[in-house]
Amino acid sequence: MIWAKKTLRNGGGLERMHFEMKRTKKWLACLLAGCMTVASLGVMTVTAEEGEEQALTYEEKKAAYREQIKADDVTADDFLIGCWTPVYSTDIHSYEYQLDQMADLGINLNLHALGSWNIQDAEFWDYVEAEYGKRNMNYLMWGQWNEYIRDKAVQYAAGKEHCIGYYLGDEPSGDLIPPVGDEVRAYAAADPERFPYVNLLPSYAGEERLGGTYREHVENFVKAAGAENIEYLSHDYYAFRSGGVTTAIYVDVEILRSVAYENGKLKTHAFPQSTAWSGMRMPTADELRWNVYLYLAYGFKALSWFTLVCPGNSDTEGEGFYDGIIYRDGTIRDPELYEAFKELNWEVRGMSSILMNLDAAHAYHVKANVDGVEKLPEDFFLQPANRNDFIISVMEPKEGEDQYIMIFNKNSRREVDGSFTVDSASGVKWVEYFDPNIGEYIPVKFEDGKLNDDYLPGEGKLYRLRYDNPPSETEETEETTEPTETTAEVPTESATNATTEATGTAPETNGKPSADGGCSSVVGFGATMVSAIAAAVVVYRKKEE
């Protein structure tokens, strides 16, 4: 069955059923991923002489967490990372090869399945479903603004689990907003299980083309389509110009955020820039990070890179596209940028379970150097203690009581130190950073009422605010147990996690369910089970000798 936001219209029971089914599948997948990853890497070994367990290194935790993410089912309820121009000529590499490449890069959505720009036929879409299903990726069905295409699209999409929506068009001008809105409504009525998708213009298209101000353009689309029929309020804005970086992007993103928030907290989608064409240059790895975390700081829930493959047949035709993450002949011109692109995608997906539960109520700029953005209020509980420029975002949870903020370094060229004074009246006693590479909360330096941390160029960090007493050093002493020849010790914490999983209750942190739904504990349990089995084998072999 296809699950999407439209289940809300069918009642809370169905949504809850979806949540429970997905959580159960996720825990099972995580257990398998934990066991397989730990076993294959040999990250927890037992020596015959000492019977001691070795802790996982950071890189081993990272590898295990990535396998966990890969094993989990991807739906419209997850953070989606897509791309425009996803493929190059199959005379160079097959579709299957290129899909493997996308999956390895962390891409889990295609707006144009296999690069298709028309309705094709039933056989084509059966092939698409099979290939995307093998790689745990989603795609949109081709759709257009006429009844014939709509009927065909709905027919071809029926029963396809990995087809989550319909691509209806890109950048409609102001005069086309009413008919586009009608089509959105028509598709939503024809197939309530999938969402119709439309991408809007940026503000620099101009008021004549927009049909008014940018806010009016976005609001007009929401009114025409109906907020209840919009899964993602989407736009594009390309900031990396030949002459520098335009900061006006902040204004467009703020308008998308506020309109979405005011209309039922709609999810938002955008196109970070990853290609070069006439008047637009190729971004650096730091600028890729800046572009992505800018959107995350504003609460966006999906991103599609523009583009993965350099479009066109030559550097001089059309809009003059001349570079990309992958060049049009399938070559990777900048391997370091390619790897940075890949790591960034997986980093974002590592935050999916938390980001999808948070809405950006505010994105406050420490230095409001452009009009149309929110300036950090003087009475806000957290204030910068140095001159560096940040966005401090207030993240509201959809479920649960944990409070979050995101701090985003607006400098795309320089690593900066962040120091922030926290008002004692706020009740915040300590702060945890969610590390998206390993899926764990890490306490950050918090002394004398100040939060101190370092930020890479363009980096954002998601923090959970803690109002309980921080763990003392005396509580962090490690227990040691003398090994015996006949037993393989299973730590109490892992055993507790195992019991918790068996009862179907998510592990708790700070009195609340853990952000990853318990997966990190399941992976830990899997690792412990592998360790215990290994220890038993060692003991048995010693007895045989």
Side-chain angles (χ1 to χ4, degrees), residues 144-169:
Q144 273 297 302
W145 310 343
N146 66 71
E147 187 175 355
Y148 173 79
I149 296 295
R150 186 194 320 134
D151 290 345
K152 283 292 184 184
V154 172
Q155 174 189 335
Y156 294 157
K160 291 181 170 56
E161 179 182 358
H162 296 275
C163 176
I164 60 174
Y166 300 92
Y167 174 85
L168 299 191

Side-chain angles (χ1 to χ4, degrees), residues 10 35-36 43 107 137 162 175 188 202 222 247 263 271 362 402 460 463 469:
N10 298 327
C35 291
M36 291 180 65
V43 296
I107 291 170
M137 295 171 64
H162 296 275
D175 61 316
V222 174
T247 56
N263 284 274
F271 288 88
H362 300 282
D402 285 349
Y463 297 101
N469 291 323

Side-chain angles (χ1 to χ4, degrees), residues 340-374:
F341 175 86
K342 172 181 174 178
E343 289 303 308
L344 183 57
N345 289 335
W346 285 111
E347 186 175 311
V348 173
R349 288 184 63 180
M351 292 183 277
S352 175
S353 60
I354 300 179
L355 293 174
M356 299 305 288
N357 188 49
L358 299 176
D359 292 304
H362 300 282
Y364 293 129
H365 289 241
V366 170
K367 297 179 182 178
N369 42 18
V370 290
D371 293 331
V373 300
E374 291 188 291

Side-chain angles (χ1 to χ4, degrees), residues 16-33:
R16 183 64 185 173
M17 185 190 303
H18 171 209
F19 174 78
E20 295 295 345
M21 289 176 65
K22 184 174 180 184
R23 185 174 67 174
T24 301
K25 290 175 71 178
K26 184 173 184 177
W27 287 349
L28 290 172
C30 293
L31 178 59
L32 179 61

Side-chain angles (χ1 to χ4, degrees), residues 122-417:
E123 184 178 359
F124 171 83
W125 292 107
D126 288 344
Y127 170 73
V128 167
E129 174 66 22
E131 293 302 321
Y132 280 73
K134 291 175 185 176
R135 296 160 180 84
N136 199 13
M137 295 171 64
N138 292 326
Y139 62 93
L140 300 189
M141 174 67 63
W142 175 257
Q144 273 297 302
W145 310 343
N146 66 71
E147 187 175 355
Y148 173 79
I149 296 295
R150 186 194 320 134
D151 290 345
K152 283 292 184 184
V154 172
Q155 174 189 335
Y156 294 157
K160 291 181 170 56
E161 179 182 358
H162 296 275
C163 176
I164 60 174
Y166 300 92
Y167 174 85
L168 299 191
D170 183 48
E171 299 184 339
S173 56
D175 61 316
L176 291 177
I177 290 297
V180 170
D182 290 341
E183 279 302 316
V184 169
R185 291 177 183 271
Y187 272 88
D191 187 355
E193 291 188 324
R194 296 174 180 83
F195 60 85
Y197 169 81
V198 176
N199 182 58
L200 300 179
L201 286 161
S203 63
Y204 54 78
E207 290 194 6
E208 182 177 353
R209 188 176 174 193
L210 294 169
T213 66
Y214 192 59
R215 177 174 287 276
E216 288 170 341
H217 181 71
V218 176
E219 290 176 340
N220 288 343
F221 172 72
V222 174
K223 291 175 184 176
E228 70 278 9
N229 301 312
I230 299 173
E231 181 83 5
Y232 295 99
L233 189 58
S234 175
H235 89 142
D236 51 28
Y237 191 110
Y238 305 117
F240 304 118
R241 313 294 173 85
S242 298
V245 180
T246 173
T247 56
I249 187 174
Y250 291 119
V251 182
D252 278 31
V253 177
E254 168 59 23
I255 289 173
L256 262 288
R257 184 207 65 79
S258 61
V259 173
Y261 189 85
E262 293 160 6
N263 284 274
K265 300 179 181 178
L266 298 173
K267 291 192 288 188
T268 40
H269 168 277
F271 288 88
Q273 182 180 339
S274 54
T275 192
W277 67 102
S278 180
M280 302 287 185
R281 62 175 175 81
M282 196 70 188
T284 66
D286 289 338
E287 288 172 332
L288 292 179
R289 185 191 305 113
W290 175 87
N291 208 172
V292 164
Y293 274 101
L294 184 160
Y295 283 117
L296 298 188
Y298 278 86
F300 278 55
K301 301 292 189 293
L303 300 171
S304 292
W305 290 99
F306 187 82
T307 62
L308 176 61
V309 176
C310 181
N313 297 315
S314 76
D315 291 356
T316 57
E317 70 172 20
E319 296 180 70
F321 286 94
Y322 62 89
D323 206 352
I325 300 298
I326 301 173
Y327 194 58
R328 62 175 62 91
D329 63 0
T331 60
I332 299 168
R333 290 178 162 184
D334 188 340
E336 289 186 6
L337 186 65
Y338 182 91
E339 286 300 317
F341 175 86
K342 172 181 174 178
E343 289 303 308
L344 183 57
N345 289 335
W346 285 111
E347 186 175 311
V348 173
R349 288 184 63 180
M351 292 183 277
S352 175
S353 60
I354 300 179
L355 293 174
M356 299 305 288
N357 188 49
L358 299 176
D359 292 304
H362 300 282
Y364 293 129
H365 289 241
V366 170
K367 297 179 182 178
N369 42 18
V370 290
D371 293 331
V373 300
E374 291 188 291
K375 179 77 167 63
L376 183 69
E378 293 182 359
D379 60 351
F380 192 64
F381 81 96
L382 186 142
Q383 295 289 329
N386 58 28
R387 296 189 176 188
N388 291 320
D389 196 9
F390 296 91
I391 289 177
I392 301 172
S393 301
V394 179
M395 299 296 198
E396 291 182 349
K398 295 178 182 292
E399 296 181 357
E401 298 178 359
D402 285 349
Q403 300 299 309
Y404 289 84
I405 59 170
M406 177 174 280
I407 299 179
F408 165 61
N409 173 18
K410 290 169 63 179
N411 194 317
S412 62
R413 293 177 294 179
R414 186 168 62 87
E415 182 175 353
V416 300
D417 297 328

